Amino acid sequence: MKKVILILSVLAFVACGGDKKESKEKESSKTEKAEKKTEGGRKKNSKGIGPVTELKLPETIDESMAAEGKKVFDAKCTACHKPDKKYIGPAPKGVTKRRSPEWIMNMILNPEEMLEKDPIAKQLYRDNNGAVMANQDLTKEEARQVLEYFRTLE
Amino acid sequence: MKQLLAKLLVLSTTVALLVSCGSKDNVAPRGTDNVVSDAASKTYVKPGEYDEFYAFLSGGFSGQLSVYGLPSGRLLKVIPTFSVDPEKGYGFNEETKPMLETSVGFVPWDDAHHPELSQTNGETDGRWIFINGNNTPRIARIDLGTFETTEIIEIPNSGGNHSSPFTTENTEYVVAGTRFSVPIPQEDIAISEYKGKFKGALSFISVDKDSGDMGLAFQVLMPGFDYDLAHSGKGKSHGWTFFTTYNTEESNTLMEVGASQNDKDFIAAINWKKAEEYIAQGKFKEVPANYVNNEYSDETHSAVTKRLNKVKVLDPVECPGLVYFLPTPKSPHGVDVDPSGEYIVGNGKLSADLTVHSFTKVLDAIENKKFEGEAYGIPVLKMEDILAGIVKEPGLGPLHTEFDGRGNAYTTFFISSEVVKWKLGTWEVIDRQPTYYSVGHLMIPGGDSAKPDGKYLVAMNKITKDRYLPTGPEMNHSAQLYDISGEKMKLLLDFPTIGEPHYAQGIAASKIKSKKIYKLEENKHPYVAKTEADAKVVREGKDVHVYMTSIRSHFAPDNIEGIKVGDNVYFHVTNLEQDWDVPHGFAVMKARNAELLIMPGQTETLLWRPQEPGIYPMYCTDFCSALHQEMQGYVRVSPAGSNTELKWSVGEVDEE
């Protein structure tokens, strides 16, 4: 009889654990759905997580800054990103229409935390087959230049 | 029958119990009751937190240098130095092969004994650490920004570089004294001609104060004794270096008897500032000597071997005031200078007492020419004139002494297996603690500098025996950590070490500025590919150069065709990552070599000579990302003389 009780309680324990896991999964799929619902507006407004909290882009593109940005992009980013087609990661063409300037810079400067916490970055990680965005040790100034270069790719 | 069986069972159980009891007694470690009750909390470094000190322990006959954290005893890194290391490709990749070049060609191993941190104003400064290669006499310099061996200089006219590389107060020099005397210049003579024909060279290696570049400044040609250990003066004795000698008998056989006849041997005191004057006056002989100086550049990520063929030699007989002998009982091993520079401790390993000389008295005796005679033209001071004090019968077999900066000295005793704490000036013994077993060197962070950090002491033991779970006939050597912040030493921790840790050095972690990446834009490797657009394959006769890049998680190119049997294929792999601790590995099937382990921003080269036609996979060896297993590629090898077109690609899908 004792044995039976023991087995039963073990079963109950296991089942308990299983339940918890399931409910967690349900929760996370709920969040995903919620995220998808608000996709359009929310993505453009999201500033991501990182050192850049507020950035207003001037109307006109600073061509010399963009040229510097192309140099940085060619040197540090092209192993995974082609300007106008998906390679390991997505193409930067059109990214300034899809995301806020702050988000783009934070993704460049703070990819580890973005991949861990930012819902859009997390989704991109899944969409891109689990390839991580590498931190290429750009300075804030270089990331700003790259952003300016991206503006020329629209 | 049943009863008999039952009796047998009882009997055999009793025997088994008895046997296990007995054998338990035999293997149970001694001294477990020495450990203080709060030892665990004193050595516990919470996950994610850092140790307070770095400890650098020599790898002994592994030829490497190991890095530990204190007080946790966690192994942080093994730095390949004098021996090849397939784990890191050291000595296997084309860039580091020149590091192990010597006057007799490539030497893949050495016996590394004494790490020594660079100093400024007598204090450890966290810039470099030096270590000696004993067997093929050399000194290595390790950069404490990268924790990589960055320079190795060979020591000519040496029979074994043991009393080395102890630094001067501002790292003006690190020294290299020969353990074994040999004919200088080397010649083919009868060994019985030892006396008079054999000499001992004491070398002074200059260190550039900005770049750290080493150069052989001069050698002092000494009588044919064994020069065992050394330490340079500091404070008032700055400008002097002290070397212990044994075998002043100049015996050449059965040395354990032959070299232990004299009641006193010498500590040789070298006035290196005087040597500089003699060099400036041109009182040296320039003699032929073949040796090399290998230097690694963090810009080209490659080492270059420079071949040298001359050395300046000073003869003490022709240079009065350069060398004095301080008589010291008996076969002194370590020679250790206290933080003030006043006391010179001679650890006479066959002597009952510890002998401490006074530098002030040494200077006084020299000034008043109070000599008891001379040996090979070198003045011998009178021991009673220079003696500061004696520590009476402190233990058996003293080897080494370090200091805590609070007026105390700590000496290891090999035979009685203990560390003894005694007081400078009064020479009284304050405390003694057992070590397990047969302790050699000891280390207090900064304990041989002018500013010791006297919180911990590490004792390095020669015999491990029953301290850990048995691992067959050989056990790793063992280190023991003591808390020395109070009056009594407290044993806190045992931890295993790499090879045989002879000496060690320790430094506050805050003094080290560790680098995180190599900047890609500063990479000046001749075969670098800084972007995937630069990736290519170039054939030059039978040599094929693959300019390859790696980033999470692919190589470029990852498909290569047109390689032929008989080719020398050089894979020059540049790691494009610019993130801390994201190295990529590289291995290709049946390479009779090792892997590459390429740091972010670095280029390394693997030479591969495929022997049979076929398809050869290559892959990243260091788990780099979730797609690490996908980080692979293929090389097609065709028969010699075939005309398969040379081509390479990445990300191109054949759609035919």
Side-chain angles (χ1 to χ4, degrees):
Chain A
M1 188 57 197
K2 264 188 188 170
K3 264 186 196 166
V4 177
I5 290 170
L6 189 70
I7 289 168
L8 279 175
S9 58
V10 166
L11 277 174
F13 203 79
V14 169
C16 252
D19 269 354
K20 264 191 189 162
K21 202 179 167 192
E22 224 170 83
S23 65
K24 253 196 184 170
E25 269 165 21
K26 268 182 200 161
E27 257 174 49
S28 69
S29 71
K30 260 187 218 164
T31 2
E32 268 169 40
K33 268 180 204 159
E35 273 164 25
K36 272 184 189 159
K37 261 188 202 169
T38 52
E39 205 168 313
R42 205 174 141 175
K43 277 193 178 174
K44 261 180 243 161
N45 293 334
S46 168
K47 294 183 174 174
I49 305 150
V52 185
T53 50
E54 197 62 50
L55 178 62
K56 287 265 174 292
L57 293 178
E59 284 291 305
T60 52
I61 294 172
D62 181 335
E63 291 297 341
S64 72
M65 189 197 277
E68 287 305 308
K70 184 179 185 320
K71 276 187 215 160
V72 176
F73 180 81
D74 286 349
K76 300 281 177 70
C77 313
T78 45
C80 295
H81 298 278
K82 306 290 175 208
D84 50 7
K85 65 172 186 185
K86 184 186 175 320
Y87 187 45
I88 309 301
K93 186 178 177 180
V95 70
T96 51
K97 296 266 190 297
R98 301 193 296 271
R99 314 265 182 266
S100 72
E102 295 90 344
W103 190 96
I104 295 168
M105 283 183 67
N106 285 330
M107 191 64 188
I108 295 170
L109 293 168
N110 188 33
E112 298 91 347
E113 198 183 1
M114 287 286 280
L115 285 176
E116 204 181 304
K117 295 177 183 165
D118 182 78
I120 306 167
K122 278 158 83 173
Q123 186 58 44
L124 280 168
Y125 173 73
R126 286 188 284 265
D127 294 346
N128 287 280
N129 203 27
V132 292
M133 168 77 181
N135 186 339
Q136 287 295 79
D137 198 39
L138 267 60
T139 63
K140 215 166 166 179
E141 192 189 356
E142 287 170 328
R144 178 64 188 86
Q145 291 163 348
V146 169
L147 170 63
E148 203 64 8
Y149 166 59
F150 287 174
R151 293 178 77 195
T152 67
L153 299 174
E154 304 312 327
Chain B
M1 187 61 191
K2 259 190 183 173
Q3 262 187 345
L4 184 67
L5 271 176
K7 272 183 191 168
L8 272 174
L9 192 68
V10 169
L11 190 69
S12 59
T13 313
T14 325
V15 168
L17 276 172
L18 266 173
V19 167
S20 69
C21 254
S23 63
K24 201 181 166 205
D25 277 351
N26 283 338
V27 297
R30 285 188 274 158
T32 44
D33 51 354
N34 276 83
V35 187
V36 292
S37 60
D38 58 347
S41 64
K42 290 200 166 190
T43 58
Y44 185 66
V45 177
K46 263 191 254 174
E49 288 190 357
Y50 291 166
D51 278 292
E52 188 180 350
F53 294 96
Y54 283 98
F56 299 91
L57 274 64
S58 89
F61 42 71
S62 83
Q64 317 294 31
L65 178 70
S66 52
V67 189
Y68 288 83
L70 294 182
S72 72
R74 296 192 286 211
L75 176 64
L76 305 178
K77 188 176 182 180
V78 176
I79 302 173
T81 306
F82 292 115
S83 298
V84 295
D85 182 1
E87 180 194 332
K88 297 182 174 73
Y90 183 80
F92 291 98
N93 61 45
E94 295 305 298
E95 287 77 8
T96 54
K97 278 179 185 171
M99 290 301 282
L100 300 178
E101 193 61 31
T102 72
S103 58
V104 294
F106 183 86
V107 175
W109 169 86
D110 213 320
D111 182 17
H113 278 229
H114 312 116
E116 177 85 343
L117 287 160
S118 57
Q119 296 183 6
T120 304
N121 298 324
E123 195 183 338
T124 57
D125 58 21
R127 302 174 75 194
W128 308 296
I129 189 160
F130 303 86
I131 189 166
N132 61 323
N134 201 32
N135 187 55
T136 302
R138 285 172 286 175
I139 292 178
R141 177 170 59 92
I142 288 133
D143 185 315
L144 292 180
T146 59
F147 286 67
E148 301 283 359
T149 305
T150 196
E151 188 179 4
I152 293 180
I153 188 166
E154 190 178 5
I155 314 295
N157 295 330
S158 174
N161 186 33
H162 194 266
S163 38
S164 176
F166 307 95
T167 184
T168 57
E169 197 173 75
N170 294 297
T171 322
E172 293 93 344
Y173 300 99
V174 289
V175 301
T178 188
R179 176 174 162 203
F180 311 108
S181 284
V182 287
I184 296 176
Q186 275 284 11
E187 60 176 322
D188 169 23
I189 58 171
I191 297 165
S192 58
E193 290 185 67
Y194 188 119
K195 253 183 210 180
K197 282 279 176 85
F198 285 34
K199 298 268 183 225
L202 305 181
S203 308
F204 284 74
I205 312 300
S206 60
V207 179
D208 185 278
K209 67 178 164 44
D210 299 315
S211 66
D213 280 359
M214 297 188 286
L216 177 46
F218 58 90
Q219 295 187 313
V220 182
L221 210 54
M222 299 285 287
F225 310 150
D226 285 46
Y227 295 86
D228 206 6
L229 280 158
H231 261 109
S232 292
K234 50 180 94 78
K236 62 174 74 169
S237 52
H238 178 54
W240 293 72
T241 301
F242 307 96
F243 292 85
T244 47
T245 69
Y246 65 102
N247 194 27
T248 50
E249 298 85 349
E250 297 182 76
S251 163
N252 61 278
T253 182
L254 203 60
M255 306 277 278
E256 60 181 325
V257 178
S260 309
Q261 297 301 306
N262 294 345
D263 283 340
K264 295 191 190 84
D265 298 274
F266 300 124
I267 290 172
I270 313 278
N271 185 341
W272 57 259
K273 288 213 169 154
K274 197 89 186 163
E276 287 178 339
E277 288 170 23
Y278 282 123
I279 296 285
Q281 292 162 16
K283 284 203 173 173
F284 58 84
K285 262 190 217 137
E286 199 154 52
V287 304
N290 285 324
Y291 61 108
V292 305
N293 186 357
N294 310 321
E295 198 158 0
Y296 185 87
S297 154
D298 286 344
E299 288 195 331
T300 60
H301 300 287
S302 306
V304 174
T305 295
K306 200 161 67 184
R307 293 186 188 278
L308 300 154
N309 50 30
K310 270 184 239 157
V311 57
K312 294 181 174 115
V313 172
L314 292 171
D315 183 343
V317 179
E318 292 161 16
C319 301
L322 177 63
V323 187
Y324 297 93
F325 282 138
L326 323 181
T328 308
K330 176 179 184 178
S331 299
H333 189 56
V335 53
D336 299 293
V337 182
D338 88 302
S340 74
E342 166 65 7
Y343 297 122
I344 303 149
V345 183
N347 302 269
K349 64 180 187 276
L350 307 178
S351 164
D353 304 323
L354 268 182
T355 310
V356 186
H357 299 303
S358 152
F359 184 71
T360 308
K361 288 185 175 179
V362 168
L363 281 189
D364 183 66
I366 291 169
E367 201 167 310
N368 296 302
K369 298 200 165 26
K370 292 199 269 185
F371 307 134
E372 70 175 22
E374 55 173 46
Y376 291 99
I378 296 168
V380 180
L381 305 180
K382 284 185 195 151
M383 183 166 142
E384 57 270 28
D385 289 340
I386 59 171
L387 198 64
I390 288 172
V391 186
K392 287 265 181 213
E393 298 187 7
L396 294 178
L399 291 185
H400 302 281
T401 301
E402 293 254 297
F403 308 90
D404 66 5
R406 299 186 295 270
N408 302 306
Y410 302 75
T411 301
T412 53
F413 290 84
F414 178 80
I415 295 169
S416 51
S417 281
E418 59 188 336
V419 179
V420 173
K421 176 182 179 182
W422 51 275
K423 203 162 191 62
L424 288 160
T426 69
W427 324 116
E428 63 189 315
V429 170
I430 298 167
D431 186 28
R432 59 178 69 239
Q433 286 294 326
T435 62
Y436 307 96
Y437 304 94
S438 300
V439 61
H441 278 270
L442 76 169
M443 179 275 277
I444 293 169
D448 69 337
S449 75
K451 275 199 185 160
D453 242 323
K455 192 169 178 183
Y456 298 110
L457 181 155
V458 178
M460 285 156 280
N461 301 301
K462 302 297 182 192
I463 293 169
T464 305
K465 287 250 196 256
D466 50 27
R467 294 301 285 180
Y468 308 128
L469 284 174
T471 51
E474 199 216 357
M475 304 281 288
N476 262 356
H477 283 229
S478 150
Q480 290 185 289
L481 182 73
Y482 296 82
D483 175 353
I484 56 163
S485 57
E487 182 81 350
K488 295 262 174 205
M489 296 176 270
K490 294 174 186 167
L491 176 58
L492 300 178
L493 184 72
D494 279 22
F495 59 92
T497 59
I498 308 290
E500 179 184 353
H502 291 264
Y503 194 34
Q505 292 271 281
I507 186 168
S510 57
K511 284 186 173 178
I512 302 274
K513 306 276 170 275
S514 174
K515 205 170 176 162
K516 290 186 171 165
I517 59 165
Y518 297 101
K519 285 195 179 297
L520 201 51
E521 56 267 32
E522 290 168 8
N523 184 325
K524 293 189 178 133
H525 193 290
Y527 293 96
V528 65
K530 288 196 187 181
T531 69
E532 280 195 10
D534 301 332
K536 61 185 171 185
V537 183
V538 178
R539 175 178 283 285
E540 291 167 5
K542 280 191 178 299
D543 291 346
V544 179
H545 293 279
V546 181
Y547 295 68
M548 186 178 267
T549 65
S550 66
I551 197 160
R552 280 163 284 178
S553 300
H554 64 279
F555 294 107
D558 63 1
N559 281 204
I560 300 169
E561 300 195 3
I563 304 296
K564 293 171 208 165
V565 171
D567 282 347
N568 304 310
V569 184
Y570 293 89
F571 290 99
H572 308 286
V573 187
T574 302
N575 182 352
L576 298 180
E577 305 275 357
Q578 291 289 273
D579 195 0
W580 189 20
D581 195 28
V582 190
H584 288 291
F586 176 83
V588 59
M589 190 170 82
K590 294 190 178 177
R592 294 181 300 161
N593 204 336
E595 67 161 355
L596 298 176
L597 190 66
I598 314 130
M599 297 305 126
Q602 195 178 42
T603 306
E604 287 191 351
T605 303
L606 190 80
L607 171 58
W608 180 56
R609 295 185 173 107
Q611 289 167 295
E612 288 167 350
I615 299 294
Y616 288 79
M618 54 187 182
Y619 72 102
C620 171
T621 49
D622 188 343
F623 204 105
C624 54
S625 74
L627 298 168
H628 164 75
Q629 285 302 84
E630 285 73 12
M631 193 159 177
Q632 58 181 320
Y634 296 98
V635 187
R636 174 182 170 189
V637 176
S638 303
S642 61
N643 48 21
T644 314
E645 185 198 348
L646 185 69
K647 58 179 185 179
W648 63 92
S649 63
V650 60
E652 278 172 26
V653 184
D654 200 347
E655 281 171 9
E656 280 168 40

